Amino acid sequence: MNKLLFTCSAIGSDHRFKLLNTKLGQNESPEFILKNLDPHAKSIAIILEDLSHPLIHNFTHWVIWNIPATTIIAGKIPAGKRVANIKAVQGRAYGWHQYAGPKPPRGQKHDYRFTVYSLAEYLDLPTSANKRQFFKASQGKIIQAGQLTGSFKR
């Protein structure tokens, strides 16, 4: 599997989350620019996880799939199970069918990881699906994956 290279507008060159993309700011989903998208990709999926959560390993903040394969994924994806303008599906996570940016407890710094996947097809999953169900449905369909980690301190 080839590594998917991408940039994310939420994470600065200092590897910190911008306030705009956190729950203390506007809580807007960021823009993603994919640099080497495989031409066979049909759809894109994105997962945001809190790597520092004290109780839940890789706590899921956001899971979205069936974004049509494109090199630019616009930010400010609206809340909702189905995102009409891009025909994507947002599943169950901390954000419950929407982006949920970082918000660690006061005085703590947490690390957060975006993983972007390109897939060979669209997935037939209900809007109630979570990260685990996404992985089960996407087995053998993921063409590329890439990760970007940023931190946020409250």
Side-chain angles (χ1 to χ4, degrees):
M1 177 181 348
N2 292 332
K3 184 175 181 179
L4 180 60
L5 303 174
F6 68 93
T7 60
C8 172
S9 65
I11 300 174
S13 59
D14 59 358
H15 301 285
R16 293 183 189 169
F17 261 81
K18 296 176 183 174
L19 186 62
L20 173 73
N21 305 104
T22 71
K23 282 192 154 198
L24 299 177
Q26 297 299 311
N27 201 37
E28 293 179 354
S29 67
E31 176 184 75
F32 296 86
I33 299 175
L34 285 56
K35 300 195 183 233
N36 64 330
L37 182 63
D38 188 291
H40 298 100
K42 299 283 189 250
S43 69
I44 304 292
I46 303 170
I47 295 176
L48 173 61
E49 299 167 296
D50 180 347
L51 305 178
S52 306
H53 194 282
L55 302 174
I56 301 170
H57 178 70
N58 297 345
F59 182 75
T60 309
H61 272 243
W62 187 40
V63 58
I64 183 171
W65 62 88
N66 287 354
I67 300 168
T70 181
T71 56
I72 299 175
I73 300 166
K76 299 183 184 180
I77 293 174
K81 295 176 182 179
R82 298 192 184 277
V83 185
N85 64 331
I86 59 172
K87 299 182 181 176
V89 179
Q90 295 184 100
R92 282 187 309 126
Y94 179 57
W96 279 89
H97 310 295
Q98 67 180 346
Y99 174 81
K103 186 184 173 191
R106 287 193 206 291
Q108 290 188 24
K109 178 185 130 193
H110 280 205
D111 292 321
Y112 299 85
R113 177 178 61 209
F114 283 108
T115 307
V116 179
Y117 301 91
S118 72
L119 292 94
E121 58 189 72
Y122 289 88
L123 299 177
D124 184 21
L125 279 170
T127 59
S128 61
N130 58 24
K131 177 177 67 176
R132 185 172 31 109
Q133 292 162 313
F134 162 79
F135 283 129
K136 185 176 180 181
S138 65
Q139 267 189 328
K141 298 171 184 156
I142 295 174
I143 298 171
Q144 297 170 287
Q147 297 181 331
L148 186 61
T149 303
S151 64
F152 185 68
K153 183 175 181 180
R154 185 168 170 200

